[in-house]
Amino acid sequence: MTIYQNFINGEWLESSSDRTAQNVNPANTNDCLGTIKLATREEARKAVESAYNAFRDWKSTPAPTRGKIVAKFARLLEDYKEEVSQILTREEGKTLAESRGELQRSINVAEFCAGEARRLNGETIQSELPANFAYTIKEPHGVVACITPWNFPVAIPVWKIAPALVAGNTVVFKPAEATPATAVRLCEIFEEAGIPKGVLNLILGKGSEIGDEIVNHPAVKAISFTGSTETGIKLYEQGARRGAKVQCEMGGKNPVVVMEDCDMDLAVESTAQGAFGSTGQRCTATSRAVVVDKIADEFVSKIVERAKRMRIGDGADANTEMGPIVDEKQFNTVLKYIDIGREDGAEMLYGGKRAEGDGLENGYFVEPTVFDKVTPDMRIAQEEIFGPVLSVLRVKDFDDAMIAANDSQYGLTSSIFTGDPNLIFRFVQEIETGMTHINSPTTGGEAHIPFGGVKMTGIGAREQGSTALDFYTELKVVYVDYTGRKREGNLY
Ligand code: ADP
């Protein structure tokens, strides 16, 4: 049985801890991938110290050289794409098609960041004084903590680690407890790509222990986190107290607005993809459908039809459209929210329980679930469920749709289905989300396009795209005076 090891100062080390957790395949709990030893606080400190000691040399390595290592990582990830996709499906449960998509996204992000290493430019600025000029330099922070969730255990670490490294930071990577195998594999691939000792460190264990230790360590100058709102806000407060930079990507409650002139089949198929794809476990998942009354009956009956046809099963089976929930805790959370929806008076049209059938006996499978006549005051209209549960809110017209769509503490992504250009532009102007889609699902994104949300979803600079390195760099401003004379006037 595999025992996952920590990667500290270029060495793979087994934790001295005697507390363990099993890494179980959520499609079949009899299939155990390995054992994770829950690292101690002392081991977490060692990981930070290792990153701290490696920082000076890494910072003074030319950025294009740093980028070459990330480029090599991207090429290797391409070589290992199928192998890592298989691990991802077995560990997290998503379908193989989804895993391959996640791997491709990760390769694209790494390639993009490698290219950015040759563009780590500042600017030159005209001075108001003669024989003077100024320029800016982008510099790394030092040790950066990358704290990541289980739902995209390859792509999210890559889109944090790659820009952090290119910028010249050293990294302590703390993945979610549920997905150690992919995390270990990523670090092995970075090792093969030639990452110097201590520049990237991996530590496996509990967020409340080693995560807490890392976040509060004085040598950690920046924390990039993706996960729950509760944890993100806590880390933000903790970081702020000691002046560390914090970037958080947290919850979502992403709406799709469906107007009466829409292409109905496209709206239904895209809503189903957004709501049930990746088993609803994406931060960009569609969790609310805001539908105008006139077409609501038709939309609802078609989405229920689609949900019924969803092929549920082990993600490793090529026929499967929707895999299991990641683990027992999350499985119970999803079922609890379904109960809450019923108790709050929403009309459950389909789903609502553990999915049964051949091959589903030993996994955390839930039926795709559709609630109709959900009102904004209900918890299933407001709280992130992170499962295949769609809440349909019926509204009178576009104005009401916008009120309902924006009635959320979150603001990650959204979409609208309509052919009316006036409504499209009004929607883009009025919707309170960091990303929005027109006539396509709320999900999806590209490696070279910024990603992130507003309101309670996002704190700090946007990840990926032209903004990918913003969080990982500090700006130094340099004034150069080549007059050789004492300054006169302008003495502020
Ligand atoms: P999720 O519900 O997606 O698991 P969490 O916010 O609980 O979201 O976890 C996201 C990541 O944050 C995981 O790697 C987890 O171990 C880590 N984490 C949880 N609590 C803390 C904490 N107090 N300090 C640092 N990291 C934490």
Side-chain angles (χ1 to χ4, degrees), residues 74-103:
R75 286 197 296 276
L76 289 170
L77 200 57
E78 184 110 51
D79 293 346
Y80 298 128
K81 183 176 170 186
E82 190 52 33
E83 179 221 328
V84 181
S85 298
Q86 302 274 349
I87 300 174
L88 172 52
T89 289
R90 194 171 158 216
E91 174 170 74
E92 197 269 356
K94 63 181 66 181
T95 66
L96 266 177
E98 288 165 344
S99 290
R100 291 179 187 126
E102 178 171 347
L103 261 291

Side-chain angles (χ1 to χ4, degrees), residues 256-268 271 289-304 349 372-373 392-398 401 416-419 423 439:
V256 47
V257 168
V258 187
M259 297 305 300
E260 59 200 63
D261 71 321
C262 72
D263 174 336
M264 180 59 81
D265 290 341
L266 178 67
V268 167
T271 304
V290 179
V291 187
V292 289
D293 280 329
K294 243 189 188 154
I295 51 155
D297 287 342
E298 185 188 355
F299 176 85
V300 158
S301 80
K302 286 192 157 167
I303 198 96
V304 166
L349 298 182
D372 191 11
K373 306 205 175 133
V392 178
L393 290 88
R394 296 180 177 231
V395 291
K396 198 163 82 264
D397 54 20
F398 178 79
I416 186 168
F417 285 86
T418 178
L423 293 186
N439 291 317

Side-chain angles (χ1 to χ4, degrees), residues 146-151 174-179 205-216 223 225-232 234-235 238 326-327 329-330 384 386:
C146 297
I147 300 181
T148 57
W150 45 261
N151 66 330
K174 205 316 264 161
E177 291 99 293
T179 49
K206 279 191 150 333
S208 54
E209 293 170 10
I210 57 164
D212 181 72
E213 189 68 31
I214 296 164
V215 163
N216 291 299
I223 300 149
F225 166 85
T226 300
S228 65
T229 305
E230 192 192 349
T231 305
K234 189 153 99 190
L235 302 198
Q238 290 177 328
V326 69
D327 61 16
K329 182 168 159 255
Q330 189 56 26
E384 186 174 50
F386 233 60

Side-chain angles (χ1 to χ4, degrees), residues 365-401:
F365 296 98
V366 175
E367 293 174 337
T369 300
V370 180
F371 278 106
D372 191 11
K373 306 205 175 133
V374 175
T375 53
D377 54 309
M378 292 180 188
R379 285 180 64 188
I380 58 166
Q382 295 296 340
E383 296 175 25
E384 186 174 50
I385 300 172
F386 233 60
V389 181
L390 180 70
S391 298
V392 178
L393 290 88
R394 296 180 177 231
V395 291
K396 198 163 82 264
D397 54 20
F398 178 79
D399 289 332
D400 276 4

